[in-house]
Amino acid sequence: MWFCESFFLKIVYKPHKTIYNTLVNNKKQLKREINTTENHINGRIYIMKILESKFVRGFIKMADDGYQQGWHERNGGNLSYRLKPEEVEMIKPRLNAPGEWTPIGVEVPGLAGEFFLVTGSGKYFRNIIVDPEVCLAIIELDETGTNYRIRWGLVEGGRPTSELPTHLMNHEVKKKLTNGRHRVIYHAHTTNTIALTFVLPLDDKVFTRELWESATECPVVFPDGVGVVGWMVPGGREIAVKTAELMKKYDVVIWAHHGMFCSGEDFDLTFGLLHTVEKSAEILVKILSMTPRKLQTITPDNFRALAKDFKVSLPEEFLYEKE
Ligand code: 13P
Ligand code: ZN
């Protein structure tokens, strides 16, 4: 009896408890650091180590959260963040000497001179938290908005994500339309949303309405709806132009048989938006797996009542009568 108890405590319980405590404490420490990193000490500007800065830590946490959700197999997905002027100033002394300019492949004059933190092409999201300096880059755009150069990161070589044209064109559209508030563009390979692009018509109105119906919070979280791009070759100018056009109307754009792009003000809002759309898609996939016909659902008048109470305006184009 004594032997059993001691065996359980020493071999099973304590080691597991220690691992558990370490994981919980690491998470708490990361949260504390994200919340307390300061750029002023005794009234003087503190030149921050790039990896200590709040935006880099927030970026890494978001990328890892996405990986934990299962949206980033292999090198799937990419993330970009437009730095604030004060963040650029804070890290400037630690940036690498300027190197060669490289063409972006699209023109984004509205972003001339801006700095972005981006994921590297071919880099795995699961490795970002382990070795951010290998997986990420800070890039600077030139005064014409047609070239970029790497100023930090990718220490083992490489280049920014192959979806840089789409990220930057989306940033340009959103910067203008939100007076600079939107700073994050996120692309993930969201399983359920991708599955729906095989069974629903590739139409903004149908996707928006079906996603809204699948979870009550949806019309409040994305009242403008979602846009859908039919299958296209990824990574180039053509898909970037098409996506950015839809980003003028929506914060969410679904790429058929590929994934999703979301735009938002900060890491929490952008991650939360993509998470909400994908959760709703998961519910819809479950519904459609059980039956082709819903017995009851949220009606157009229910949506109108919701809009009134939650003070959002829901475009009537999505509240059409179904046969
Ligand atoms: P990158 O590795 O170049 O970012 O590409 C991943 C991806 O998801 C392409 O759409
Ligand atoms: Zn992709």
Side-chain angles (χ1 to χ4, degrees), residues 75-78 119-123 160-163 187 189 234-235 255 258:
N75 64 310
N78 22 75
T119 48
S121 186
K123 303 298 181 191
T161 170
S162 58
E163 305 295 359
H187 168 55
H189 292 179
W255 280 3
H258 185 144

Side-chain angles (χ1 to χ4, degrees), residues 300-316:
D301 276 345
N302 292 155
F303 285 124
R304 291 183 188 105
L306 192 75
K308 196 159 163 270
D309 272 26
F310 281 80
K311 298 182 179 35
V312 288
S313 91
L314 300 179
E316 280 293 319

Side-chain angles (χ1 to χ4, degrees), residues 131 264 279:
D131 204 345
K279 174 77 184 282

